[in-house]
Amino acid sequence: MTDLESHTPPAKGNPAPDFELFTHDTEPWHLSEHLDRPAVLLFFPGAFTSVCTTELNTVNDDLDAFDNAHVVGISTDSPFVLAEFRSVNQLEFPLLSDHDASVCAQYGAKYDGNFTPMNLDRVAKRAAFVVDQDRRVQYAEVLENAGKQPDFGAVKEVLQQIRK
């Protein structure tokens, strides 16, 4: 398996792969530096697409319900595209650029040359992960169908359980 081929998603209770990506502002964002509270990692296929726009706006409109977690969106778009997408949609959480899909692959959230009939590669699958302060995965959902949304109710329930 090459580094860019998808791995099996980390299971609940297992360590979350640590990573550093660049934000929409081209600033480094390192997972292990954001574990003062739980982190919600939302992988999405592409900025300015209808389902991704709906997903991220849904989260943004209900951000307080995510129990003060660090919420980040992750796609293979460039930081510059993500900056415009974030601005247009007035998103209040960071968007991270995984331009080479290496983090997507580590999380089992990468299409391997099979996205759409065009066989696009290096595209993030829609996925949601909750990582606790010990860098353990407490929730993992990877969707094969890019038209589906993660179960945000389940994500919020897990966040509430972590806080107890």
Side-chain angles (χ1 to χ4, degrees):
M1 179 180 296
T2 68
D3 286 343
L4 289 181
E5 289 178 3
S6 287
H7 301 251
T8 301
K12 181 179 177 184
N14 286 348
D18 199 9
F19 63 85
E20 179 181 82
L21 293 173
F22 286 88
T23 68
H24 58 276
D25 288 331
T26 65
E27 295 295 324
W29 194 97
H30 201 270
L31 177 61
S32 62
E33 293 175 2
H34 289 86
L35 294 178
D36 55 317
R37 55 188 192 252
V40 177
L41 312 178
L42 300 173
F43 292 85
F44 64 99
F48 296 105
T49 59
S50 63
V51 179
C52 295
T53 300
T54 298
E55 174 189 6
L56 297 184
N57 277 299
T58 297
V59 170
N60 196 63
D61 292 346
D62 197 23
L63 204 51
D64 289 342
F66 285 84
D67 208 20
N68 201 32
H70 288 286
V71 176
V72 295
I74 302 171
S75 83
T76 57
D77 293 303
S78 75
F80 314 106
V81 170
L82 292 174
E84 183 66 14
F85 181 63
R86 186 174 183 267
S87 175
V88 165
N89 289 283
Q90 300 178 339
L91 301 176
E92 298 178 26
F93 54 90
L95 300 180
L96 308 180
S97 174
D98 184 18
H99 64 89
D100 66 359
S102 60
V103 174
C104 295
Q106 287 180 317
Y107 279 80
K110 178 187 156 306
Y111 286 104
D112 290 322
N114 60 349
F115 185 70
T116 78
M118 294 181 286
N119 295 322
L120 297 176
D121 198 8
R122 297 187 185 190
V123 175
K125 292 180 181 178
R126 195 170 315 284
F129 292 87
V130 175
V131 179
D132 68 17
Q133 292 94 318
D134 295 323
R135 215 184 79 208
R136 298 266 175 208
V137 173
Q138 295 302 320
Y139 181 82
E141 179 182 13
V142 178
L143 300 166
E144 292 299 321
N145 182 340
K148 302 282 186 185
Q149 296 286 335
D151 184 348
F152 294 124
V155 169
K156 292 173 199 175
E157 285 179 27
V158 168
L159 289 169
Q160 289 174 354
Q161 290 300 317
I162 291 171
R163 291 292 190 179
K164 290 184 179 180

